[in-house]
Amino acid sequence: MKKSVRISLAAAGLALLAGMGIWFIPGMKFSAWLCGGMAAALLLWAALCRWSEKSRAGKVCKVLFLLCAVMGILSFAVVEAFLVKVGRIPPYGDPPAAMVVLGAGVNGTTPSVVLASRLNTARAYLGQMPPDTPVILSGGQGPGEDITEAQAMYNYLTAVGMNGDRLYLEESSTTTAENLAYSSAVLDKLGIDTYHNSVAVVTNDFHMARVRYLADFETPMSVTGVPARLPYWWLTANYYTREYFALAKALWNRLNGAG
């Protein structure tokens, strides 16, 4: 067995073990699945290396696999650089007419680390806005959630002293596109034109590029991004990596006319 094959098999085993270990870290399920995918890719590479020793077709497939891998890595690097750049843009311009806080996972009734980071960022930014600025808490109820994300956000913010009268719950959305569309509808009922008036949208830095894309091309909404950062680097790396695929899916859906 060639050295390259042995290295590929060993790397596949390590990736699989890493995925099994990461699986039990809260919020890291995506990285666990990604490690599994990497293990499968490495096993395929090992098989192609063996096949290429015996067949011309195997050599062609090996080259094609390598080209696809290089193109994937390059596209990943470019997109990640773009995501980081957009995620670091601070709020700018005139004070927004309203705020929308996008939902994220809830553990039973408790906001996840991701959602708590958004709520804490929203609280800090609201201190710079007029006290009567309406705040839309946007998020429905998903698997493992005993209440809607909007209700969990309301409970969290009122528990730390925020006036509940300025908080409006949007409890039907299950995707980012629905977050923006349904929140825009709520603001429209409040008499706020979200196209001509800026709306502060609070979400995490890794998520901001997709929010801006959806706001520009699907809602539409004039967005002032308020990026929240996660407290742990490994969660940040996990979600930035996942966002590469989420953004690709959003672009694919648009190209194919899907919602």
Side-chain angles (χ1 to χ4, degrees), residues 116-238:
S117 70
R118 298 180 186 184
L119 294 169
N120 292 331
T121 299
R123 283 182 61 203
Y125 189 69
L126 280 170
Q128 307 171 35
M129 299 174 70
D132 59 344
T133 303
V135 180
I136 312 301
L137 307 176
S138 179
Q141 185 173 353
E145 299 177 343
D146 296 334
I147 57 177
T148 64
E149 294 167 6
Q151 185 63 57
M153 289 190 277
Y154 179 91
N155 295 345
Y156 185 97
L157 292 172
T158 54
V160 295
M162 186 170 292
N163 180 8
D165 292 340
R166 71 189 299 191
L167 305 178
Y168 298 84
L169 278 62
E170 182 287 294
E171 301 181 275
S172 300
S173 57
T174 58
T175 66
T176 301
E178 290 179 353
N179 284 149
L180 297 174
Y182 298 170
S183 296
S184 181
V186 174
L187 290 170
D188 185 60
K189 291 179 180 179
L190 295 175
I192 297 174
D193 181 350
T194 60
Y195 183 76
H196 295 98
N197 294 282
S198 177
V199 177
V201 176
V202 182
T203 189
N204 290 95
D205 48 5
F206 61 82
H207 191 212
M208 193 59 70
R210 183 153 52 102
V211 167
R212 290 185 179 278
Y213 162 75
L214 292 170
D216 286 342
F217 294 102
E218 294 195 15
T219 304
M221 178 186 287
S222 179
V223 167
T224 295
V226 184
R229 294 191 177 185
L230 293 172
Y232 309 115
W233 68 265
W234 58 88
L235 279 180
T236 300
N238 172 79

Side-chain angles (χ1 to χ4, degrees), residues 100-124:
V100 174
V101 186
L102 302 189
V106 173
N107 302 315
T109 61
T110 304
S112 63
V113 173
V114 173
L115 186 54
S117 70
R118 298 180 186 184
L119 294 169
N120 292 331
T121 299
R123 283 182 61 203

